[in-house]
Amino acid sequence: MQIRDVFYVSDGTAITCETVGHAVLGQFSFQAHERTFPFVESNHKLEELIKQIELSFSQRGTKPLVFFSIVLPEIREALSKAPAELYDVLGGFVGKMEQDLGLAAQPKLQRSRSVTKDSDRYFDRIAAVEYTLAHDDGVSLRDLEQADIILLGVSRSGKTPTSLYMAMQFGLRVVNYPFIAEDMSNMRLLPEFEIYRYKLFGLTIEPERLTEIRENRLAGSEYASHQQCLEELAVVEGLFRREAIPYINTSSLSVEEISTRILEQTGLKRRLV
């Protein structure tokens, strides 16, 4: 399979470049080696970026793909001379909107997703992340009334990364609870969750994928054995069906896709934009 280096470059966080890039790359069949370069707003960072692009071109023999969002004209100009296939993530939209609105854009560094410490949004995000970290992996089952959603699933089914993504990107307070091997012989819904059934959502995963993930963590262990993964998933999915808990399979989904599908199925709304 063809291999191409892919760079995400921005004078901000590069989150937008990554999001657009992933959506576009998903349409093509090749292996992408991805790197992200945020806050490229100085000559020092620009020089390091150009050096990495040139190194990629020299080693691969093909130009790397660069998804970029750059405001400063001098940095855009320097980047345009690099040996890369360049894709301006926002340029096409900005130019068209200038024509449609009859207004000139007023570029400003890091305007997108800007959150100041004086804004309610900033403190909402921090509170959501702090709550989610305090309720990660079943550490605490206190203050469940404050939770927006409670994620359930076996160990390594994607609960923690999904919880943190939903907290950071959507401002949601997320509890996640893992079912472990000791739970399998008497699988039941915890009493703490009974009155919050409407907040419960399950994550499951294909046994082969779960085995692979656990092997990377604890190779050769009973925890990572295919049979153990099969048994745990069968028991937990049985609980989901018995208790009418909605759930999705995370095997082939990115954390962004998992989070968005959860919002779609539950009707939860993003608190941060």
Side-chain angles (χ1 to χ4, degrees):
M1 180 179 290
Q2 183 183 9
I3 300 175
R4 297 293 291 266
D5 288 336
V6 179
F7 295 167
Y8 303 110
V9 179
S10 176
D11 46 31
T13 63
I15 291 175
T16 301
C17 293
E18 290 178 324
T19 302
V20 172
H22 291 161
V24 173
L25 293 180
Q27 312 302 311
F28 298 91
S29 179
F30 67 87
Q31 184 176 347
H33 285 181
E34 301 169 301
R35 296 183 61 185
T36 301
F37 294 81
F39 306 115
V40 180
E41 52 191 17
S42 67
N43 287 331
H44 172 71
K45 289 193 173 183
L46 175 62
E47 290 169 2
E48 177 59 26
L49 169 63
I50 298 297
K51 186 184 303 182
Q52 294 301 317
I53 290 176
E54 292 175 342
L55 181 62
S56 169
F57 181 51
S58 173
Q59 292 180 338
R60 298 280 187 199
T62 56
K63 294 181 179 180
L65 312 179
V66 178
F67 293 85
F68 73 94
S69 174
I70 298 291
V71 170
L72 295 174
E74 59 271 24
I75 293 182
R76 289 174 62 93
E77 183 178 357
L79 183 60
S80 70
K81 298 176 182 177
E85 304 292 357
L86 300 169
Y87 306 97
D88 188 345
V89 169
L90 300 180
F93 293 102
V94 173
K96 187 173 189 307
M97 287 196 73
E98 284 183 322
Q99 294 178 0
D100 293 343
L101 300 177
L103 297 173
Q106 299 177 346
K108 179 180 178 182
L109 276 177
Q110 301 175 42
R111 165 169 275 171
S112 66
R113 295 180 177 268
S114 60
V115 180
T116 68
K117 291 189 177 182
D118 296 326
S119 71
D120 291 338
R121 288 175 57 212
Y122 175 84
F123 291 109
D124 287 344
R125 188 189 300 268
I126 295 300
V129 171
E130 288 179 344
Y131 178 91
T132 300
L133 287 172
H135 294 79
D136 179 45
D137 216 23
V139 170
S140 173
L141 295 180
R142 299 179 59 186
D143 305 318
L144 294 182
E145 71 279 0
Q146 297 180 26
D148 292 299
I149 191 166
I150 301 170
L151 299 182
L152 307 175
V154 300
S155 173
R156 301 289 150 182
S157 56
K159 299 181 304 301
T160 292
T162 300
S163 297
L164 290 174
Y165 183 89
M166 294 177 74
M168 290 187 289
Q169 297 300 319
F170 302 152
L172 297 174
R173 299 186 180 202
V174 186
V175 174
N176 82 73
Y177 182 84
F179 293 115
I180 59 177
E182 288 75 12
D183 297 323
M184 298 302 132
S185 60
N186 185 29
M187 178 56 64
R188 62 186 179 85
L189 201 60
L190 294 182
E192 291 89 342
F193 294 149
E194 285 290 349
I195 63 174
Y196 299 109
R197 283 176 170 269
Y198 63 97
K199 296 183 179 183
L200 301 179
F201 197 94
L203 300 184
T204 189
I205 188 171
E206 294 299 328
E208 295 76 15
R209 178 59 179 149
L210 182 60
T211 302
E212 178 185 355
I213 294 171
R214 289 185 175 183
E215 275 288 336
N216 288 334
R217 180 173 175 80
L218 290 173
S221 65
E222 179 65 21
Y223 165 78
S225 72
H226 187 63
Q227 185 61 35
Q228 180 68 28
C229 292
L230 275 171
E231 292 175 0
E232 289 185 24
L233 289 167
V235 172
V236 171
E237 289 179 13
L239 173 73
F240 292 160
R241 290 190 291 269
R242 185 170 67 251
E243 301 292 343
I245 298 170
Y247 66 97
I248 59 173
N249 189 309
T250 66
S251 300
S252 61
L253 302 177
S254 67
V255 67
E256 296 92 342
E257 291 172 317
I258 296 169
S259 302
T260 302
R261 292 192 183 200
I262 290 173
L263 263 62
E264 181 182 28
Q265 290 193 33
T266 62
L268 279 173
K269 303 297 182 184
R270 295 168 171 82
R271 288 185 177 165
L272 302 175
V273 180

